[in-house]
Amino acid sequence: MTGPHLGTRPAAWAAAIVLSVTGSSLIGSGVAQADDISTLTSQQIADRARDALLDAHSMHLSVHGNLDRGSTPVSAELTLDRSGNCDGSVDLGNSQGSARIIKHGNDVWVKPDADFWKNQVPDGGPAFAAILNGRYMRASATDPRLLALTRACDLDTVQKLVSDNADNHAGTLNKAATTTLGKASVVPLTRMRDNTTLTLYVAATGTPYPLRLTLRGDGTDATVDFSAFDKPVPTSTPPPDETFDINALLGRTTQTA
């Protein structure tokens, strides 16, 4: 029996929906300032939103939807920071499974549910689930079996992708009238790319943080909400009696195969 490799499907999903969405090139380059941005041009607002995002030391990402035609809607709730700390969960949708993720310092804890083991690790998944018995797998944050997943839990990774894509200005950037998003006053910016409409909602007053990004059209229907800027990632980690070392897990399953 072979061990699970959680860097395949959930990692590919996490990288796609978190990183590709936030690196969508709607955000420009410039200097973030705290003032009323509604009188600025669309590009000036995009410039300030980009730098506000790049200046953040931590944030919460709430992701829901699908990125292409025929794909399963998925979701994530992740609080992450520049130090690589992360706390949250991912859900693959349609009862395909979900996983709780905690990353602190050099360690990562992952707790997949029964549906995940059943659907994502069909060869031996139930055995892994039985051994863990509701506990977290604990591993090094550099463990190659979890590396892609843990990279998606690092704000530096998100910010680097935004920065690397800042000069891609394909499609006309348009500004709409100031509106509200919940209790916040926001300025919507819209760009059409590859038959998909991208809309970024930027805080109209105070620090011009991007508060929501939506992608609609050509089979795409996804929403990313940004919040809790510069608020710390929770520091609590699972106690030892709720964890199981990933190497011990693989050793046991190999012996019982």
Side-chain angles (χ1 to χ4, degrees):
M1 182 182 300
T2 58
H5 195 295
L6 300 189
T8 53
R9 178 156 184 181
W13 167 80
I17 201 163
V18 176
L19 304 184
S20 293
V21 170
T22 55
S24 59
S25 307
L26 192 65
I27 303 175
S29 59
V31 178
Q33 298 180 22
D35 54 14
D36 186 341
I37 63 170
S38 61
T39 60
L40 302 179
T41 67
S42 57
Q43 190 59 56
Q44 288 172 326
I45 296 172
D47 291 346
R48 296 191 182 189
R50 170 190 176 269
D51 275 2
L53 182 64
L54 295 181
D55 285 344
H57 292 277
S58 62
M59 70 174 68
H60 182 82
L61 292 177
S62 179
V63 185
H64 300 274
N66 59 287
L67 286 179
D68 51 60
R69 186 184 305 277
S71 65
T72 300
V74 292
S75 63
E77 297 289 341
L78 298 171
T79 301
L80 58 168
D81 66 21
R82 287 184 180 178
S83 298
N85 300 310
C86 178
D87 187 292
S89 61
V90 296
D91 190 326
L92 300 177
N94 284 359
S95 299
Q96 290 298 301
S98 63
R100 182 90 169 84
I101 305 168
I102 298 172
K103 184 171 177 283
H104 189 71
N106 295 320
D107 296 303
V108 61
W109 295 260
V110 179
K111 183 166 70 173
D113 67 3
D115 284 337
F116 179 95
W117 288 116
K118 176 183 177 182
N119 294 291
Q120 310 307 317
V121 191
D123 181 15
F128 292 121
I131 293 171
L132 287 171
N133 192 26
R135 291 174 290 184
Y136 287 82
M137 289 187 298
R138 179 174 180 171
S140 165
T142 58
D143 191 303
R145 292 161 293 198
L146 303 176
L147 192 57
L149 188 62
T150 55
R151 281 176 176 166
C153 263
D154 189 336
L155 182 56
D156 272 344
T157 305
V158 176
Q159 291 174 323
K160 184 178 187 303
L161 188 57
V162 171
S163 180
D164 289 348
N165 283 273
D167 293 331
N168 184 349
H169 298 304
T172 302
L173 183 64
N174 297 301
K175 179 180 73 170
T178 301
T179 185
T180 57
L181 181 65
K183 296 181 179 180
S185 178
V186 294
V187 178
L189 302 176
T190 302
R191 189 191 299 275
M192 176 69 73
R193 178 170 297 145
D194 298 327
N195 298 317
T196 300
T197 300
L198 294 81
T199 304
L200 185 72
Y201 298 85
V202 182
T205 58
T207 304
Y209 288 120
L211 301 183
R212 174 172 290 178
L213 175 64
T214 63
L215 295 88
R216 304 284 187 267
D218 198 25
T220 299
D221 186 358
T223 299
V224 180
D225 288 314
F226 306 82
S227 62
F229 292 97
D230 292 329
K231 294 184 178 180
V233 175
T235 58
S236 61
T237 58
D241 63 350
E242 294 182 14
T243 67
F244 201 103
D245 183 81
I246 190 171
N247 294 312
L249 172 69
L250 299 186
R252 287 188 59 173
T253 54
T254 299
Q255 293 169 11
T256 58

Short mmCIF file of all heavy atoms in Angstrom, two decimals, residues 95-126:
data_model
loop_
_atom_site.label_atom_id
_atom_site.label_comp_id
_atom_site.label_asym_id
_atom_site.label_seq_id
_atom_site.Cartn_x
_atom_site.Cartn_y
_atom_site.Cartn_z
N SER A 95 -19.13 16.59 -2.08
CA SER A 95 -18.78 15.46 -1.20
C SER A 95 -17.48 14.79 -1.60
O SER A 95 -17.28 13.60 -1.32
CB SER A 95 -19.92 14.42 -1.17
OG SER A 95 -21.11 14.99 -0.68
N GLN A 96 -16.58 15.55 -2.26
CA GLN A 96 -15.28 15.00 -2.64
C GLN A 96 -14.27 15.07 -1.50
O GLN A 96 -13.19 14.49 -1.59
CB GLN A 96 -14.74 15.75 -3.86
CG GLN A 96 -15.50 15.47 -5.13
CD GLN A 96 -15.44 14.00 -5.51
OE1 GLN A 96 -14.37 13.44 -5.72
NE2 GLN A 96 -16.60 13.36 -5.59
N GLY A 97 -14.62 15.77 -0.44
CA GLY A 97 -13.73 15.80 0.71
C GLY A 97 -13.26 17.19 1.07
O GLY A 97 -13.28 18.11 0.25
N SER A 98 -12.88 17.35 2.31
CA SER A 98 -12.34 18.61 2.80
C SER A 98 -11.18 18.32 3.75
O SER A 98 -10.99 17.17 4.18
CB SER A 98 -13.42 19.42 3.53
OG SER A 98 -13.88 18.72 4.67
N ALA A 99 -10.41 19.33 4.05
CA ALA A 99 -9.26 19.16 4.94
C ALA A 99 -9.04 20.42 5.76
O ALA A 99 -9.15 21.53 5.23
CB ALA A 99 -8.00 18.81 4.15
N ARG A 100 -8.75 20.23 7.01
CA ARG A 100 -8.37 21.32 7.92
C ARG A 100 -6.86 21.46 7.83
O ARG A 100 -6.13 20.46 7.80
CB ARG A 100 -8.79 20.95 9.33
CG ARG A 100 -8.49 22.01 10.38
CD ARG A 100 -9.63 22.98 10.53
NE ARG A 100 -9.40 23.80 11.71
CZ ARG A 100 -8.65 24.89 11.73
NH1 ARG A 100 -8.04 25.29 10.62
NH2 ARG A 100 -8.51 25.60 12.83
N ILE A 101 -6.37 22.70 7.78
CA ILE A 101 -4.93 22.96 7.62
C ILE A 101 -4.47 23.94 8.68
O ILE A 101 -5.07 25.01 8.86
CB ILE A 101 -4.62 23.54 6.24
CG1 ILE A 101 -5.14 22.65 5.12
CG2 ILE A 101 -3.11 23.74 6.07
CD1 ILE A 101 -5.13 23.32 3.76
N ILE A 102 -3.40 23.60 9.38
CA ILE A 102 -2.77 24.52 10.33
C ILE A 102 -1.27 24.48 10.05
O ILE A 102 -0.66 23.40 10.02
CB ILE A 102 -3.03 24.12 11.79
CG1 ILE A 102 -4.53 24.17 12.10
CG2 ILE A 102 -2.26 25.01 12.75
CD1 ILE A 102 -4.90 23.62 13.46
N LYS A 103 -0.67 25.63 9.83
CA LYS A 103 0.77 25.71 9.60
C LYS A 103 1.33 26.75 10.55
O LYS A 103 0.86 27.89 10.60
CB LYS A 103 1.07 26.09 8.15
CG LYS A 103 2.54 26.11 7.79
CD LYS A 103 2.72 26.27 6.28
CE LYS A 103 4.18 26.37 5.90
NZ LYS A 103 4.74 27.71 6.20
N HIS A 104 2.33 26.33 11.32
CA HIS A 104 2.93 27.25 12.29
C HIS A 104 4.42 26.97 12.35
O HIS A 104 4.84 25.85 12.67
CB HIS A 104 2.31 27.07 13.67
CG HIS A 104 2.73 28.11 14.66
ND1 HIS A 104 2.31 29.43 14.59
CD2 HIS A 104 3.55 28.05 15.73
CE1 HIS A 104 2.84 30.12 15.57
NE2 HIS A 104 3.61 29.31 16.28
N GLY A 105 5.22 27.98 12.01
CA GLY A 105 6.66 27.79 12.00
C GLY A 105 7.07 26.73 10.99
O GLY A 105 6.69 26.79 9.82
N ASN A 106 7.80 25.73 11.46
CA ASN A 106 8.30 24.70 10.56
C ASN A 106 7.42 23.46 10.50
O ASN A 106 7.82 22.44 9.95
CB ASN A 106 9.72 24.28 11.01
CG ASN A 106 10.71 25.42 10.87
OD1 ASN A 106 10.68 26.18 9.91
ND2 ASN A 106 11.61 25.54 11.85
N ASP A 107 6.24 23.53 11.10
CA ASP A 107 5.37 22.36 11.16
C ASP A 107 4.03 22.64 10.50
O ASP A 107 3.55 23.77 10.48
CB ASP A 107 5.12 21.96 12.62
CG ASP A 107 6.39 21.52 13.31
OD1 ASP A 107 7.04 20.59 12.81
OD2 ASP A 107 6.75 22.12 14.35
N VAL A 108 3.42 21.58 9.97
CA VAL A 108 2.09 21.68 9.37
C VAL A 108 1.26 20.51 9.85
O VAL A 108 1.76 19.39 10.02
CB VAL A 108 2.19 21.71 7.83
CG1 VAL A 108 2.82 20.45 7.27
CG2 VAL A 108 0.82 21.93 7.20
N TRP A 109 0.00 20.77 10.10
CA TRP A 109 -0.96 19.75 10.52
C TRP A 109 -2.11 19.74 9.51
O TRP A 109 -2.65 20.80 9.17
CB TRP A 109 -1.53 20.06 11.89
CG TRP A 109 -0.56 20.02 13.03
CD1 TRP A 109 -0.38 19.00 13.92
CD2 TRP A 109 0.35 21.06 13.44
NE1 TRP A 109 0.58 19.32 14.85
CE2 TRP A 109 1.05 20.58 14.58
CE3 TRP A 109 0.65 22.33 12.94
CZ2 TRP A 109 2.02 21.34 15.22
CZ3 TRP A 109 1.62 23.08 13.57
CH2 TRP A 109 2.29 22.58 14.71
N VAL A 110 -2.46 18.57 9.03
CA VAL A 110 -3.55 18.44 8.05
C VAL A 110 -4.50 17.34 8.53
O VAL A 110 -4.06 16.24 8.89
CB VAL A 110 -3.01 18.08 6.64
CG1 VAL A 110 -4.16 17.94 5.66
CG2 VAL A 110 -2.03 19.14 6.16
N LYS A 111 -5.80 17.65 8.54
CA LYS A 111 -6.79 16.66 8.94
C LYS A 111 -7.85 16.54 7.85
O LYS A 111 -8.83 17.28 7.83
CB LYS A 111 -7.44 17.04 10.28
CG LYS A 111 -8.43 15.99 10.77
CD LYS A 111 -8.82 16.19 12.23
CE LYS A 111 -9.66 17.40 12.46
NZ LYS A 111 -10.18 17.47 13.85
N PRO A 112 -7.68 15.58 6.94
CA PRO A 112 -8.71 15.34 5.92
C PRO A 112 -9.92 14.64 6.55
O PRO A 112 -9.79 13.92 7.54
CB PRO A 112 -8.00 14.42 4.92
CG PRO A 112 -6.54 14.50 5.25
CD PRO A 112 -6.48 14.77 6.71
N ASP A 113 -11.09 14.84 5.95
CA ASP A 113 -12.27 14.14 6.44
C ASP A 113 -12.42 12.80 5.72
O ASP A 113 -11.63 12.44 4.84
CB ASP A 113 -13.52 15.00 6.30
CG ASP A 113 -13.92 15.27 4.85
OD1 ASP A 113 -13.26 14.75 3.93
OD2 ASP A 113 -14.90 16.01 4.64
N ALA A 114 -13.45 12.04 6.09
CA ALA A 114 -13.65 10.69 5.53
C ALA A 114 -13.87 10.74 4.03
O ALA A 114 -13.39 9.87 3.29
CB ALA A 114 -14.81 10.01 6.23
N ASP A 115 -14.61 11.75 3.54
CA ASP A 115 -14.86 11.86 2.10
C ASP A 115 -13.57 12.08 1.33
O ASP A 115 -13.41 11.58 0.21
CB ASP A 115 -15.85 12.99 1.82
CG ASP A 115 -17.28 12.62 2.14
OD1 ASP A 115 -17.59 11.41 2.16
OD2 ASP A 115 -18.09 13.53 2.38
N PHE A 116 -12.67 12.86 1.92
CA PHE A 116 -11.39 13.09 1.26
C PHE A 116 -10.64 11.77 1.08
O PHE A 116 -10.17 11.45 -0.02
CB PHE A 116 -10.53 14.06 2.07
CG PHE A 116 -9.18 14.33 1.45
CD1 PHE A 116 -8.98 15.43 0.64
CD2 PHE A 116 -8.12 13.46 1.64
CE1 PHE A 116 -7.75 15.67 0.04
CE2 PHE A 116 -6.88 13.68 1.05
CZ PHE A 116 -6.70 14.79 0.25
N TRP A 117 -10.50 11.01 2.16
CA TRP A 117 -9.77 9.75 2.06
C TRP A 117 -10.42 8.81 1.05
O TRP A 117 -9.74 8.13 0.28
CB TRP A 117 -9.71 9.08 3.44
CG TRP A 117 -8.80 9.76 4.41
CD1 TRP A 117 -9.14 10.37 5.58
CD2 TRP A 117 -7.38 9.91 4.29
NE1 TRP A 117 -8.04 10.89 6.20
CE2 TRP A 117 -6.94 10.62 5.43
CE3 TRP A 117 -6.44 9.53 3.34
CZ2 TRP A 117 -5.60 10.95 5.65
CZ3 TRP A 117 -5.10 9.85 3.55
CH2 TRP A 117 -4.70 10.55 4.69
N LYS A 118 -11.73 8.78 1.05
CA LYS A 118 -12.45 7.88 0.16
C LYS A 118 -12.26 8.25 -1.30
O LYS A 118 -12.04 7.38 -2.15
CB LYS A 118 -13.94 7.89 0.52
CG LYS A 118 -14.81 7.06 -0.42
CD LYS A 118 -16.27 7.18 -0.03
CE LYS A 118 -17.18 6.43 -1.00
NZ LYS A 118 -18.62 6.59 -0.64
N ASN A 119 -12.34 9.55 -1.63
CA ASN A 119 -12.35 9.99 -3.02
C ASN A 119 -10.98 10.37 -3.55
O ASN A 119 -10.71 10.19 -4.74
CB ASN A 119 -13.30 11.18 -3.19
CG ASN A 119 -14.75 10.80 -2.95
OD1 ASN A 119 -15.34 10.07 -3.72
ND2 ASN A 119 -15.31 11.29 -1.85
N GLN A 120 -10.11 10.89 -2.71
CA GLN A 120 -8.82 11.37 -3.18
C GLN A 120 -7.72 10.33 -3.03
O GLN A 120 -6.68 10.42 -3.69
CB GLN A 120 -8.42 12.66 -2.44
CG GLN A 120 -9.49 13.73 -2.41
CD GLN A 120 -10.01 14.06 -3.80
OE1 GLN A 120 -9.23 14.20 -4.74
NE2 GLN A 120 -11.32 14.21 -3.93
N VAL A 121 -7.90 9.38 -2.14
CA VAL A 121 -6.91 8.32 -1.94
C VAL A 121 -7.64 6.98 -1.97
O VAL A 121 -7.74 6.29 -0.95
CB VAL A 121 -6.15 8.51 -0.60
CG1 VAL A 121 -4.93 7.57 -0.55
CG2 VAL A 121 -5.70 9.95 -0.42
N PRO A 122 -8.19 6.60 -3.12
CA PRO A 122 -9.00 5.37 -3.17
C PRO A 122 -8.21 4.12 -2.83
O PRO A 122 -8.77 3.15 -2.32
CB PRO A 122 -9.51 5.35 -4.61
CG PRO A 122 -8.56 6.21 -5.38
CD PRO A 122 -8.13 7.27 -4.42
N ASP A 123 -6.90 4.11 -3.09
CA ASP A 123 -6.07 2.96 -2.77
C ASP A 123 -5.54 3.10 -1.34
O ASP A 123 -4.46 3.64 -1.10
CB ASP A 123 -4.90 2.85 -3.75
CG ASP A 123 -4.02 1.63 -3.47
OD1 ASP A 123 -4.46 0.73 -2.72
OD2 ASP A 123 -2.89 1.60 -3.99
N GLY A 124 -6.33 2.65 -0.37
CA GLY A 124 -5.86 2.68 1.01
C GLY A 124 -6.40 3.82 1.84
O GLY A 124 -6.06 3.92 3.03
N GLY A 125 -7.21 4.69 1.25
CA GLY A 125 -7.74 5.82 2.01
C GLY A 125 -8.44 5.43 3.29
O GLY A 125 -8.17 6.00 4.36
N PRO A 126 -9.37 4.44 3.25
CA PRO A 126 -10.04 4.04 4.49
C PRO A 126 -9.08 3.56 5.57
O PRO A 126 -9.31 3.78 6.76
CB PRO A 126 -10.97 2.91 4.01
CG PRO A 126 -11.24 3.24 2.58
CD PRO A 126 -9.94 3.79 2.06
#
